[in-house]
Amino acid sequence: MSPIRMGSATVRTVSAAELGTRTAELEAALGSGAGELDPAAVDRARRVVTKAAERSGLAGDHTVVALAGATGSGKSSLFNALVGAEVATIGARRPTTSRPSAAVWGDADASELLDWLGVTTRHVVDESRPDGADARQRRGQVAGSLDGLVLLDLPDFDSRVVEHRHEAERVLELVDVFVWVTDPQKYADARLHDEFVSLMSRHDAMTLAVLNQSDRLGREALASVRTDLTKLLVADGVAGAAVLTTSTVTGDGVPDLQQRLANAVAGHAASRQRLKSDVVGAAERLRSGVSETEPDVRALERTGLDAALGRAAGVPIVLDAVERDHRREAFAHTGWLFGRWTTGFAADPLRRLRLDRTGGRPSIPVDIDAAEVRAVLGRSSIPTPTASTVSAVELATRTFVRDASTGLPVRWSHAVEDAVDEGDGSLGDALDRAVAGTSLRARRPAWWFVVNVLQWLLGVLAVVGLLWYAVLWVGGLLAFARPETPTLGIVPVPLVLLVGGVGLGILLGVLSRAWARVGARRRRTLIARRLDESVAGVTDAHVLAPVDEVLARHRATREHLAAAAR
């Protein structure tokens, strides 16, 4: 495809596929990050997306060129000179132009386009008619055709009527090529440059400046004014500023302007170039609202956060209970046989916390309301976190959020904070359910069985020795003949059985209790790992996942904007 030449700069044509891709990327960026981007830039970007969709859907392949300028610049006279007929009203009364007028070249119907532009005053240029002789004469000096050109005469940009200025700004946002017409008297007017030319540069249309009424200046003065105007345009931000000099009195420069318009029409792509410029401009403005990169939430330090949430969930309390429960169970299986009955008076430390050793909880109906989850699952009796514990959680969360939002713009940082700032108690409930749903069971040590058998054996021996003495005592009371009691050395066997059974049982129980403390610490370590995993799951679901979702949206927004603006 051939390039478009409007001024000193050459603009490459844009394919419909490229425009569609860029527009889709901009729309996707708005979908993922509109809430965290500048509202004014977002509104403009949405208008650009809407405009691109509407303009691309219009029938025909026209190029819309707008003539605009200050009062008295000869804009309407230049419009008539280009058309070759007295279409625009010219007179001393100002402002003359209150509504935009359109002149259409070629046979293609531009009604749908003009309806979209909101232009009701229309004129079809037919150079085959007798009154088109003047136009044909000038057209003979122009290489190329103007067919497909829609030329607009806009209201004066400095009109005293506010509605006229607003109408000019509205149409300006929709046109493909913008031609600013000024004159030697007002070309350097500060108000026009500040309120109009700078606005023109932000609209991203291909622009051309025309210094009209050049017949009022001499050759040297005209060259000086043209150079001065070019510098002013560059200072206003008009890239590749080009200035033509024209005179509707002498006809100087009009064919050159027609040639520039023919160049724009020849490519049949000025509209796509304008829309591309709009899309790129909107994307560039939005890119100031995203960073070049974002933190990886999975790579952030989370030890402090997990530890703080673990304390808030009562993990240390549960582990203490687990350790006591292990010692209690160990005594019930390995303690002195005649002292085990005392375990019935000791409260079950896990039951006091309403914790199930298996971690099993009631099944939840599919259609249950979220507010009833707590009633179905029940809550444990783990004490409520202290104020210092709550403060530690808040501090750890803020630290993690700060790390996760490092380098992000303010709006995105706030989004990261809001993602974890629930404040509805759901985090506490999730922690409680995680602890209550964790299995606290551990396999019984094999030595418990061995020691239990030994304790029963020693207990039986002690009972046999005791019964033996009881039989001897009863026999003595009844004056029965007392049989000879066997001895081990000088110690009677019943005494050996009684004292040995009791003494060894107690000693074995003491040794077992000491070893049970070691086992309790091991069980505590095992259950601590399980609880840490459960708490980490809550951290993932209630902190990392929401933060990662925001960062993923930032990444998607950044990538979409980069693709739209590349």
Side-chain angles (χ1 to χ4, degrees):
M1 290 181 287
S2 60
I4 302 172
R5 295 181 180 274
M6 276 299 296
S8 59
T10 299
V11 182
R12 292 291 174 184
T13 56
V14 181
S15 67
E18 178 188 348
L19 176 61
T21 299
R22 290 180 182 273
T23 305
E25 293 288 355
L26 178 60
E27 188 173 15
L30 293 175
S32 60
E36 286 70 43
L37 299 172
D38 177 61
V42 168
D43 289 342
R44 173 162 184 180
R46 285 190 172 129
R47 292 197 303 270
V48 167
V49 170
T50 301
K51 183 177 76 169
E54 293 175 348
R55 182 66 193 274
S56 300
L58 294 175
D61 193 5
H62 295 88
T63 301
V64 182
V65 180
L67 298 181
T71 304
S73 62
K75 168 176 54 65
S76 295
S77 298
L78 185 59
F79 179 82
N80 290 338
L82 293 170
V83 173
E86 295 295 323
V87 177
T89 304
I90 304 172
R93 182 175 176 270
R94 306 297 182 196
T96 301
T97 308
S98 60
R99 299 288 298 174
S101 301
V104 182
W105 277 259
D107 298 329
D109 185 13
S111 299
E112 187 179 5
L113 173 61
L114 291 172
D115 289 342
W116 179 71
L117 291 170
V119 178
T120 56
T121 305
R122 308 168 184 182
H123 173 77
V124 177
V125 179
D126 185 358
E127 296 183 0
S128 65
R129 290 164 37 189
D131 59 357
D134 185 51
R136 288 197 305 274
Q137 181 180 1
R138 283 192 294 269
R139 284 282 295 109
Q141 307 174 47
V142 177
S145 172
L146 290 178
D147 287 355
L149 172 64
V150 176
L151 186 64
L152 303 181
D153 181 22
L154 300 186
D156 297 335
F157 215 89
D158 62 344
S159 173
R160 295 188 300 272
V161 183
V162 176
E163 290 77 8
H164 294 181
R165 297 200 299 271
H166 289 171
E167 180 67 8
E169 292 175 3
R170 182 190 68 80
V171 178
L172 171 63
E173 194 169 346
L174 303 177
V175 301
D176 307 323
V177 179
F178 183 80
V179 179
W180 177 40
V181 182
T182 188
D183 61 274
Q185 183 177 357
K186 287 189 176 181
Y187 81 92
D189 185 84
R191 180 186 171 196
L192 287 177
H193 281 272
D194 294 341
E195 299 182 8
F196 175 59
V197 181
S198 59
L199 174 65
M200 174 183 68
S201 68
R202 293 196 299 272
H203 275 297
D204 301 317
M206 289 186 294
T207 58
L208 178 66
V210 173
L211 181 62
N212 198 23
Q213 302 176 8
S214 60
D215 56 288
R216 295 168 56 183
L217 298 174
R219 183 183 300 274
E220 293 183 0
L222 181 61
S224 176
V225 170
R226 181 177 182 178
T227 301
D228 191 27
L229 177 55
T230 302
K231 293 179 180 179
L232 290 174
L233 290 174
V234 172
D236 289 330
V238 180
V243 178
L244 295 180
T245 58
T246 60
S247 172
T248 57
V249 176
T250 64
D252 291 341
V254 175
D256 192 9
L257 177 57
Q258 288 178 317
Q259 183 64 65
R260 302 296 178 94
L261 299 182
N263 292 344
V265 172
H268 295 288
S271 63
R272 291 195 295 271
Q273 175 60 39
R274 168 66 197 272
L275 292 173
K276 173 195 170 183
S277 298
D278 283 341
V279 170
V280 172
E284 289 291 353
R285 292 178 183 90
L286 290 174
R287 287 182 74 179
S288 63
V290 296
S291 299
E292 293 298 326
T293 184
E294 56 282 319
D296 181 2
V297 70
R298 300 296 171 182
L300 297 177
E301 173 59 42
R302 55 178 288 177
T303 305
L305 179 60
D306 286 333
L309 290 177
R311 289 192 296 272
V315 169
I317 297 174
V318 174
L319 293 178
D320 289 342
V322 165
E323 197 169 355
R324 292 196 304 273
D325 181 67
H326 183 89
R327 293 197 299 267
R328 177 177 171 274
E329 283 193 88
F331 180 74
H333 288 84
T334 65
W336 183 45
L337 190 64
F338 303 107
R340 294 181 185 181
W341 62 274
T342 59
T343 57
F345 296 98
D348 188 328
L350 294 180
R351 289 189 179 277
R352 289 184 63 183
L353 297 178
R354 295 182 61 191
L355 295 176
D356 190 339
R357 289 177 178 80
T358 63
R361 310 303 279 170
S363 60
I364 306 176
V366 175
D367 58 348
I368 190 172
D369 186 82
E372 299 174 336
V373 171
R374 182 183 301 181
V376 173
L377 293 179
R379 284 193 65 94
S380 68
S381 296
I382 299 173
T384 303
T386 63
S388 61
T389 302
V390 173
S391 298
V393 171
E394 293 177 354
L395 177 60
T397 304
R398 285 198 300 269
T399 301
F400 184 84
V401 168
R402 183 191 63 223
D403 294 340
S405 58
T406 300
L408 296 181
V410 175
R411 293 178 184 272
W412 287 100
S413 296
H414 290 168
V416 172
E417 294 175 3
D418 295 340
V420 297
D421 186 19
E422 299 178 358
D424 56 359
S426 60
L427 180 59
D429 287 343
L431 289 171
D432 190 78
R433 290 196 298 270
V435 171
T438 301
S439 173
L440 306 178
R441 184 186 297 275
R443 186 175 58 182
R444 289 178 180 176
W447 68 269
W448 283 12
F449 175 77
V450 175
V451 172
N452 190 38
V453 171
L454 291 176
Q455 287 285 25
W456 275 99
L457 179 59
L458 293 174
V460 169
L461 292 177
V463 169
V464 169
L466 180 62
L467 291 177
W468 195 331
Y469 271 116
V471 169
L472 293 176
W473 180 70
V474 170
L477 290 178
L478 297 177
F480 290 155
R482 185 173 183 177
E484 184 178 352
T485 303
T487 63
L488 290 176
I490 62 172
V491 182
V493 171
L495 181 61
V496 172
L497 295 178
L498 178 60
V499 174
V502 172
L504 291 177
I506 293 174
L507 177 61
L508 184 58
V510 171
L511 294 176
S512 297
R513 176 166 295 188
W515 188 245
R517 291 192 181 93
V518 176
R521 289 193 292 270
R522 290 178 178 176
R523 184 181 174 190
R524 180 188 183 105
T525 302
L526 172 66
I527 302 303
R529 285 198 297 268
R530 295 179 186 175
L531 291 173
D532 288 344
E533 291 176 359
S534 298
V535 171
V538 175
T539 306
D540 289 342
H542 288 260
V543 180
L544 267 69
V547 169
D548 194 39
E549 188 275 333
V550 175
L551 296 180
R553 287 195 299 106
H554 179 273
R555 184 184 307 107
T557 303
R558 173 174 56 80
E559 293 173 350
H560 288 312
L561 290 176
R566 71 179 187 279

